[in-house]
Amino acid sequence: FFIVEPERHRGIHCRFGMRGVIAESHFDGGRNYIAMLKGRKRYILQPPEECKNTYLLQSGHPSARHTEINWSKPDLEKYPKFNQARAMEVVLSEGEVLYLPSYYLHHIIAIE
Protein backbone atom coordinates (compact mmCIF):
# COMPACT_ATOMS: atom_id res chain seq x y z
CA PHE A 1 0.00 0.00 0.00
CA PHE A 2 1.55 3.30 -1.09
CA ILE A 3 0.80 6.63 0.60
CA VAL A 4 2.30 9.92 -0.56
CA GLU A 5 3.66 11.86 2.45
CA PRO A 6 2.50 9.31 5.06
CA GLU A 7 3.38 11.68 7.92
CA ARG A 8 0.51 13.93 6.78
CA HIS A 9 -2.07 11.11 6.81
CA ARG A 10 -2.79 10.01 10.34
CA GLY A 11 -5.88 8.43 11.75
CA ILE A 12 -9.35 8.04 10.35
CA HIS A 13 -11.61 10.94 9.43
CA CYS A 14 -15.30 10.54 10.23
CA ARG A 15 -17.93 12.83 8.76
CA PHE A 16 -21.49 12.89 10.05
CA GLY A 17 -24.29 15.07 8.75
CA MET A 18 -28.02 15.39 8.55
CA ARG A 19 -30.17 15.53 5.43
CA GLY A 20 -29.45 18.49 3.17
CA VAL A 21 -25.85 19.08 4.25
CA ILE A 22 -23.66 19.87 1.22
CA ALA A 23 -19.90 19.56 0.90
CA GLU A 24 -19.00 21.86 -1.99
CA SER A 25 -16.88 20.47 -4.81
CA HIS A 26 -13.27 19.87 -3.80
CA PHE A 27 -10.45 17.36 -4.09
CA ASP A 28 -8.34 15.54 -1.52
CA GLY A 29 -4.68 14.70 -2.01
CA GLY A 30 -5.03 11.27 -0.43
CA ARG A 31 -7.15 8.31 -1.39
CA ASN A 32 -10.50 7.96 0.34
CA TYR A 33 -12.69 5.02 1.18
CA ILE A 34 -16.15 6.24 2.10
CA ALA A 35 -18.27 3.80 4.09
CA MET A 36 -21.93 4.68 4.50
CA LEU A 37 -23.04 3.54 7.94
CA LYS A 38 -26.56 4.95 7.77
CA GLY A 39 -28.57 7.05 5.34
CA ARG A 40 -27.68 7.99 1.76
CA LYS A 41 -25.42 10.55 0.11
CA ARG A 42 -25.20 11.68 -3.49
CA TYR A 43 -21.66 12.02 -4.86
CA ILE A 44 -20.89 13.87 -8.07
CA LEU A 45 -17.38 12.86 -9.12
CA GLN A 46 -14.98 14.31 -11.67
CA PRO A 47 -11.55 12.99 -12.67
CA PRO A 48 -8.58 15.38 -12.32
CA GLU A 49 -8.52 16.15 -16.05
CA GLU A 50 -11.85 17.99 -15.61
CA CYS A 51 -10.22 20.61 -13.33
CA LYS A 52 -9.79 22.85 -16.39
CA ASN A 53 -13.60 23.19 -16.55
CA THR A 54 -14.31 23.64 -12.84
CA TYR A 55 -12.60 26.95 -11.94
CA LEU A 56 -10.49 25.77 -9.00
CA LEU A 57 -9.58 28.45 -6.49
CA GLN A 58 -5.95 29.55 -6.69
CA SER A 59 -3.19 28.03 -4.57
CA GLY A 60 -2.83 30.11 -1.41
CA HIS A 61 -6.57 30.79 -1.15
CA PRO A 62 -8.03 29.53 2.18
CA SER A 63 -10.26 27.12 0.21
CA ALA A 64 -7.66 26.29 -2.46
CA ARG A 65 -8.83 22.69 -3.03
CA HIS A 66 -12.38 23.86 -3.86
CA THR A 67 -14.04 25.16 -7.01
CA GLU A 68 -15.44 28.69 -7.29
CA ILE A 69 -18.77 27.44 -8.59
CA ASN A 70 -21.93 27.05 -6.54
CA TRP A 71 -22.96 23.65 -7.87
CA SER A 72 -26.49 24.05 -6.50
CA LYS A 73 -27.03 27.02 -8.81
CA PRO A 74 -24.12 27.39 -11.28
CA ASP A 75 -23.70 30.73 -13.06
CA LEU A 76 -22.95 29.52 -16.59
CA GLU A 77 -22.44 33.06 -17.89
CA LYS A 78 -19.65 33.64 -15.37
CA TYR A 79 -18.29 30.05 -15.66
CA PRO A 80 -19.04 28.92 -19.25
CA LYS A 81 -16.55 26.00 -19.29
CA PHE A 82 -18.46 24.36 -16.44
CA ASN A 83 -21.17 23.44 -18.94
CA GLN A 84 -18.60 21.22 -20.72
CA ALA A 85 -17.45 19.41 -17.56
CA ARG A 86 -17.99 15.65 -17.50
CA ALA A 87 -19.03 14.01 -14.24
CA MET A 88 -20.19 10.72 -12.76
CA GLU A 89 -22.89 10.37 -10.14
CA VAL A 90 -23.39 7.74 -7.49
CA VAL A 91 -25.80 7.49 -4.57
CA LEU A 92 -24.10 5.74 -1.70
CA SER A 93 -26.48 3.83 0.57
CA GLU A 94 -26.19 2.15 3.96
CA GLY A 95 -23.64 -0.67 3.93
CA GLU A 96 -21.90 0.45 0.71
CA VAL A 97 -18.30 1.63 0.29
CA LEU A 98 -16.98 4.04 -2.34
CA TYR A 99 -13.30 4.26 -3.31
CA LEU A 100 -12.37 7.81 -4.27
CA PRO A 101 -8.97 8.15 -5.97
CA SER A 102 -6.59 10.99 -5.15
CA TYR A 103 -7.39 14.37 -6.73
CA TYR A 104 -10.87 13.41 -7.92
CA LEU A 105 -13.25 16.31 -7.46
CA HIS A 106 -16.31 15.41 -5.42
CA HIS A 107 -19.48 17.29 -4.51
CA ILE A 108 -21.53 15.63 -1.76
CA ILE A 109 -25.18 16.03 -0.79
CA ALA A 110 -26.63 14.20 2.21
CA ILE A 111 -29.99 12.79 1.07
CA GLU A 112 -31.04 11.17 4.34
Side-chain angles (χ1 to χ4, degrees):
F1 186 65
F2 175 74
I3 300 175
V4 177
E5 299 179 2
E7 66 280 356
R8 295 185 60 205
H9 300 276
R10 296 177 190 255
I12 296 173
H13 297 275
C14 295
R15 306 275 192 267
F16 299 95
M18 63 185 141
R19 182 181 333 165
V21 171
I22 295 173
E24 294 296 339
S25 181
H26 67 284
F27 68 84
D28 299 319
R31 292 175 256 178
N32 291 304
Y33 283 93
I34 299 124
M36 188 60 52
L37 302 177
K38 190 163 178 71
R40 296 184 316 140
K41 287 186 180 173
R42 176 182 177 212
Y43 282 78
I44 300 172
L45 310 169
Q46 293 179 296
E49 54 268 17
E50 289 302 318
C51 287
K52 64 186 181 289
N53 295 320
T54 60
Y55 301 87
L56 285 173
L57 292 165
Q58 297 295 316
S59 180
H61 187 281
S63 296
R65 297 178 302 113
H66 291 75
T67 66
E68 291 183 38
I69 300 166
N70 174 355
W71 283 39
S72 298
K73 190 176 179 183
D75 182 343
L76 297 178
E77 287 186 25
K78 186 174 180 181
Y79 305 109
K81 291 191 289 184
F82 185 65
N83 205 28
Q84 301 167 13
R86 296 174 308 128
M88 300 163 271
E89 179 182 16
V90 64
V91 174
L92 198 60
S93 298
E94 186 174 323
E96 296 179 331
V97 176
L98 173 67
Y99 170 68
L100 186 60
S102 301
Y103 303 106
Y104 262 63
L105 289 162
H106 46 289
H107 179 82
I108 310 161
I109 303 163
I111 298 171
E112 56 183 58

